Amino acid sequence: MTRTLLLVGGGHAHVAVLADWIARGVPADIRAVLLTPQPTLRYSGMVPGWIVGQHSRDEALVDLAALAQRAGIELVLDSCTGLDPDARRVRTAGGGDIAFDITSFDTGGEGRGAALLGNDPRLIDVRPIGGFVDRLAASPALAHVVVAGGGAGGVELAFAIRNRSGNTAPPKVTLVTGRDGLLPGFAPAVQRRVAAGLARQGIAVHHDDARIEGGAIMAG
């Protein structure tokens, strides 16, 4: 009996599944379907390299359509708008209805910057990553950038923007880590080395929560 395995979203985990199927083949009793709104995935790990000019914008794209074809699975270019777990069906933005026996969701995160910090037209959420890249590409000259979040992603982004390719002068960068501080959960030695690197590059660090107030971003 053939079962339908529905992959909702073309995120990193599902790319790994496709790679495994290309190498080993899809299980004989499985009909696999990939449901994703775009035929490509922008690999977030390469975005800092694009910012500093190490590679082009399109080099960070993963061709999901080509991977699905090589894996021998069905590709549906649409978005999931609803899930009925009892009936085992998903609804799509285009009005479609896909039945499944097993499903996996890997749709990526949505930014919550406005909800956490406050509304401001200058606020750019990192997620979804495609929207972030589009907004940053449309901002040719940056004078001062505040990065909110002291985790590994925020730190990497702060370094990348400080060294952004195409800026006539390095932009001023401020990193507001949040009250958990710089790189929470990392070893103290790593935190010290990163703090020293930020200081060498002139990136100001504030160990407090960020908020937008009166048209300005505030720490504390």
Side-chain angles (χ1 to χ4, degrees), residues 12-215:
H12 298 169
H14 286 171
V15 167
V17 172
L18 294 178
D20 184 74
W21 284 342
I22 290 169
R24 305 185 187 190
V26 180
D29 62 339
I30 291 294
R31 167 188 171 246
V33 180
L34 173 62
L35 171 65
T36 184
Q38 301 293 335
T40 58
L41 162 71
R42 184 167 297 282
Y43 177 49
S44 58
M46 292 178 68
V47 169
W50 163 70
I51 293 173
V52 302
Q54 292 177 346
H55 44 252
S56 72
R57 183 174 172 179
D58 287 347
E59 283 178 313
L61 292 176
V62 178
D63 192 338
L64 296 173
L67 290 177
Q69 183 178 35
R70 289 176 61 193
I73 73 168
E74 182 180 345
L75 174 66
V76 178
L77 293 177
D78 207 339
S79 299
C80 175
T81 57
L83 168 67
D84 186 336
D86 295 323
R88 295 188 178 182
R89 308 186 80 87
V90 300
R91 293 180 296 278
T92 70
D97 191 79
I98 304 175
F100 63 84
D101 295 289
I102 306 168
T103 188
S104 171
F105 279 74
D106 182 24
T107 55
E110 289 291 329
R112 298 181 60 235
L116 295 173
L117 303 176
N119 285 309
D120 190 286
R122 297 165 296 177
L123 178 65
I124 306 177
D125 261 315
V126 175
R127 300 289 181 180
I129 196 70
F132 170 76
V133 168
D134 291 343
R135 287 282 305 276
L136 195 60
S139 306
L142 299 173
H144 184 194
V145 176
V146 177
V147 178
V155 168
E156 190 173 24
L157 190 59
F159 278 124
I161 291 175
R162 177 65 173 166
N163 296 278
R164 187 189 186 200
S165 174
N167 255 55
T168 54
K172 179 182 178 182
V173 176
T174 301
L175 177 64
V176 183
T177 66
R179 292 180 183 174
D180 289 336
L182 182 66
L183 295 177
F186 282 74
V190 173
Q191 294 170 338
R192 289 193 296 270
R193 290 188 65 179
V194 170
L198 292 166
R200 281 195 302 271
Q201 295 216 12
I203 299 173
V205 180
H206 296 277
H207 301 290
D208 218 324
D209 291 336
R211 70 184 188 281
I212 294 174
E213 186 177 294

